[in-house]
Amino acid sequence: MSTWEKLLSKILSLDKNMRFKELQKVLESYGYTMAVPRSGSSHYTFRKKGKNPITIPKDNLIKKVYVEMVKAVVEEEMSRERD
């Protein structure tokens, strides 16, 4: 299993040990761009034309709710690849 497949598997299983950089890598690979927060905020926003923005805090460990948002993106992209 490749590194990419392992990363996607972690997201799809809602792994508790996800890191910000891992979610960033997946979102950017699917065409999302990251906006750096303004003064003092720790929340980064990922945007893609035609999609709702996804805001994720840059913490050591990411809460499940944020992983669920990225999981929805992964599942949508995987279904597109199958079609």
Side-chain angles (χ1 to χ4, degrees):
M1 185 181 283
S2 72
T3 304
W4 177 251
E5 290 169 335
K6 287 178 185 177
L7 180 56
L8 292 182
S9 177
K10 277 180 75 174
I11 290 171
L12 293 173
S13 68
L14 299 175
D15 191 304
K16 295 179 186 177
N17 299 314
M18 295 299 302
R19 305 265 182 224
F20 177 85
K21 287 284 186 189
E22 293 172 318
L23 298 182
Q24 177 185 1
K25 180 179 180 177
V26 170
L27 289 171
E28 288 178 342
S29 73
Y30 288 131
Y32 283 78
T33 57
M34 183 177 73
V36 178
R38 295 188 181 158
S39 63
S41 178
S42 63
H43 287 65
Y44 289 71
T45 302
F46 295 86
R47 289 186 167 83
K48 181 176 179 179
K49 188 174 181 168
K51 302 291 180 187
N52 290 332
I54 298 174
T55 302
I56 302 174
K58 190 170 186 179
D59 292 330
N60 285 335
L61 290 178
I62 303 297
K63 292 182 180 177
K64 182 179 177 180
V65 66
Y66 300 108
V67 180
E68 288 171 345
M69 287 188 265
V70 177
K71 178 183 177 185
V73 170
V74 170
E75 289 174 338
E76 181 181 341
E77 292 293 332
M78 290 175 94
S79 71
R80 277 192 194 161
E81 290 173 3
R82 282 186 240 142
D83 293 341

